[in-house]
Amino acid sequence: MSDNSISKDVAFGFLPARKSDRVLGFWSLLLIQLGTGLSCFSLLTGGATGALLDAKDSIGAILFGNAIPMILIIPIAIYFARYGIDTIVGFRSSLGYLGSKLFWGLFAVTTLGYTAFTMFMSGEAIVTILNMFHASGILTTSSFGAPFFSVVLILLCLFVTSKGPIMIKYFNWVGAPAMFVLVLILLGVVLFGQNLDKVFALQPIGPYDSVGRSLATAIELNVGLGFSWLPYLGQYSRLAKDEKGAFNGGFLSYGIGLCVAAILAVFMTLVTGSINPTDWMTQMGSAWLAVMGLGLLILGNVTAAIFFMYAQAISFKTIFPKQKWGVALATNVPVILLVLTPAFYNSWNIFIVIIAYVMSVIGGIVVVDFFFVKKQNISVRDLYDTNGIYKYWYGINPSAVLSVIVGTIFYWSVYNPLLDQPSGIFIYITAGIPTYFVAGGCYYVSSKYIFRSKANTASQIDIATRKTS
């Protein structure tokens, strides 16, 4: 098998990737994940941050909010790269077989939401380009044109995704550099079109009553973005040529690369007074530069959508391995419903903070389970055997359930993301990062001293014996 091919049962299924299937080196992993990180998510989060804080405080919120969560969760990429397994399969060791299926429901909702954001922003960008060329008709209106072009792009992404990871890999060699060029354009606009001292003196357009509240909320938005990559780390890390490449590619893309785009988004928000990336492009100074920026934005978002669609389909195949690839791919179709109006697109702040809650809890559980409870002793055979040692209690790990409950109580007592209501300590500790440690600590204590099981106490010798038996 050549380096540019992946067996169909791995590319379109959920079986462990063999050595010959590990086709993604460091640069491929970096570009694929940059193609996602340097898309609408970093721009929307950066824009929201710039609406709350000035440039100096925004940079601190972005670097801390993105890098720390990635430091906390990126070690789990080693797990997926070592065994060549998908995220949902890997999480069976900590959540149980049924628990992993329940997590897939959250994963599916998250993925559909992320895809909708990329597609609607792209639809708006196309409408903006048409209006710049003075086109007329119903397609030039945001109410009809943006949803229409969003649906067209969704169908295009479905076609590319249907071809599998090799096609996606080649597509990302174009899409990811496109977003990188866009970042350079934005950087040029800021450096040469604006006075940096003036930019750093600008005030945010929508801060809270106190700087402390604005800073804590901005950090939480970025923490949500940082933790949000947790369920996607396994999709491509399982195809990594080595563990080091999976770790470095993930951290440098999600933890560092997207920070650059988010910071530039802060600058553009402060300069233009708008958090909408399509508005930034039209204020670049020249029509051709604006069209180029909008085109690159579309290409980058399409790349991100393809990434999410593949992740969604692969995870569905994990839950329902006998279903055909076309059926798995069709689970992305509901995203069309989310782009029919701008209502969902305008709810980014709420969406990303809820992600901070969910993924901080799960992140604490799965990282502590692999590194501290099981001490990296995993039986791949039992991951695929629903009657194996990871069955726990009727397919659910009670330690994980207890940790989810404790983590949920802690997070929502500190901050209510739906009502945007913080407690008194929120401005001092925020919510997502402490929740990670609370959930992880609870899981460790519960697994070691309350709900002891064979899965948690099996030694390396026991695991080796199960492999050969």
Side-chain angles (χ1 to χ4, degrees), residues 117-127 146 149-150 153 278 297-302:
F117 284 113
T118 62
M119 294 293 88
F120 196 88
M121 182 185 287
S122 299
E124 279 196 332
I126 294 175
V127 170
F149 289 116
S150 298
L153 291 175
T278 57
L297 182 66
I298 293 168
L299 184 56
N301 281 332
V302 166

Side-chain angles (χ1 to χ4, degrees), residues 1 5-15 18 21 163-165 238 310 314 317 325:
M1 185 175 293
S5 64
I6 303 174
S7 57
K8 288 186 177 181
D9 54 2
V10 172
F12 302 105
F14 73 112
L15 295 181
R18 298 169 297 188
D21 296 315
K163 302 302 179 181
R238 73 189 187 111
Y310 179 74
I314 281 293
K317 286 283 287 181
W325 178 247

Side-chain angles (χ1 to χ4, degrees), residues 286-414:
S286 64
W288 71 267
L289 195 60
V291 171
M292 179 184 296
L294 289 166
L296 293 171
L297 182 66
I298 293 168
L299 184 56
N301 281 332
V302 166
T303 300
I306 291 171
F307 172 95
F308 287 116
M309 287 183 176
Y310 179 74
Q312 171 82 332
I314 281 293
S315 296
F316 178 83
K317 286 283 287 181
T318 300
I319 304 299
F320 304 101
K322 294 183 180 180
Q323 292 291 339
K324 295 183 178 179
W325 178 247
V327 175
L329 199 61
T331 59
N332 289 285
V333 172
V335 73
I336 293 176
L337 299 176
L338 297 178
V339 301
L340 295 182
T341 70
F344 183 74
Y345 180 73
N346 294 331
S347 64
W348 170 255
N349 284 21
I350 296 176
F351 182 83
I352 195 62
V353 175
I354 290 178
I355 294 300
Y357 147 61
V358 175
M359 297 308 169
S360 63
V361 172
I362 302 300
I365 292 172
V366 298
V367 171
V368 168
D369 177 76
F370 181 62
F371 288 99
F372 299 103
V373 174
K374 296 185 174 61
K375 298 181 179 178
Q376 304 184 49
N377 295 320
I378 298 294
S379 170
V380 176
R381 171 184 172 181
D382 285 292
L383 289 177
Y384 289 89
D385 180 3
T386 56
N387 289 312
I389 61 175
Y390 304 126
K391 186 175 182 178
Y392 295 104
W393 186 72
Y394 294 102
I396 297 179
N397 186 352
S399 293
V401 173
L402 178 62
S403 301
V404 168
I405 293 173
V406 171
T408 298
I409 293 174
F410 177 83
Y411 188 97
W412 287 76
S413 65
V414 174

Side-chain angles (χ1 to χ4, degrees), residues 88 92 95-106 318-320 386:
I88 305 301
R92 288 175 176 175
L95 305 180
Y97 305 118
L98 179 57
S100 183
K101 286 185 178 181
L102 295 176
F103 174 77
W104 178 83
L106 296 174
T318 300
I319 304 299
F320 304 101
T386 56

